[in-house]
């Protein structure tokens, strides 16, 4: 039974090809997904549903339930005595590190005065 979780090889939002990168962007672009991944990465031990919901702040129980199901189906997290990242989930976090560095540099660039047009 399809759950709507993006999967490589199956068309996803914004792509009819189902290329793996498009499936990944569809999944991590969903509301709260990156926050859930971030909180699980930062936690020293697996988090219960309640602990994860508290860590995420304004996240509703119903949205968290959907996101956790999607991330389990995508094999990025697992649920055994709490939620934690799988090896694939930890690898994803490592691969996102260069984007974090780029975003920090972009923030610095955006804090600078904008160049004048025509110069």
């Amino acid at each position: 039974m399809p759950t709507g979780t993006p999967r490589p090889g199956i068309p996803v939002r914004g792509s009819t090809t189902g290329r793996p990168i498009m499936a990944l962007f569809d999944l991590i672009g969903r509301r709260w997904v990156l926050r859930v991944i971030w909180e699980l990465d930062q936690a020293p031990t697996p988090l219960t549903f309640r602990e994860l919901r508290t860590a995420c702040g304004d996240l509703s129980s119903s949205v968290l339930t959907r996101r956790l199901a999607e991330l389990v189906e995508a094999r990025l997290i697992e649920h055994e005595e709490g939620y934690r990242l799988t090896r694939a989930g930890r690898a994803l976090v490592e691969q996102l590190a260069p984007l974090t560095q780029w975003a920090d540099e972009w923030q610095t660039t955006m804090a600078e005065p904008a160049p004048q047009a025509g110069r």
Side-chain angles (χ1 to χ4, degrees):
M1 139 176 119
T3 63
T5 301
R7 298 176 69 95
I10 298 173
V12 295
R13 185 176 46 146
S15 173
T16 58
T17 65
R19 291 187 306 194
I21 190 69
M22 296 304 290
L24 174 64
F25 284 162
D26 186 358
L27 178 63
I28 65 174
R30 292 177 177 201
R31 284 183 311 145
W32 294 101
V33 165
L34 286 173
R35 177 68 181 268
V36 168
I37 290 171
W38 169 261
E39 294 299 343
L40 292 175
D41 180 57
Q42 298 302 302
T45 60
L47 297 177
T48 65
F49 183 91
R50 181 172 286 171
E51 290 169 334
L52 188 53
R53 184 166 181 242
T54 299
C56 290
D58 294 334
L59 177 56
S60 72
S61 293
S62 60
V63 172
L64 180 56
T65 297
R66 281 195 307 273
R67 295 306 171 245
L68 290 173
E70 291 167 348
L71 291 168
V72 167
E73 187 174 336
R75 301 179 187 162
L76 295 178
I77 67 171
E78 58 191 3
H79 183 222
E80 294 177 16
E81 299 179 22
Y83 291 93
R84 65 179 177 200
L85 295 174
T86 62
R87 184 176 10 195
R90 290 188 306 275
L92 173 60
V93 170
E94 289 174 16
Q95 294 301 311
L96 291 173
L99 286 177
T100 301
Q101 180 181 349
W102 180 89
D104 290 342
E105 293 169 6
W106 181 44
Q107 177 183 10
T108 301
T109 299
M110 294 302 292
E112 298 169 357
Q116 297 296 318
R119 290 188 182 183

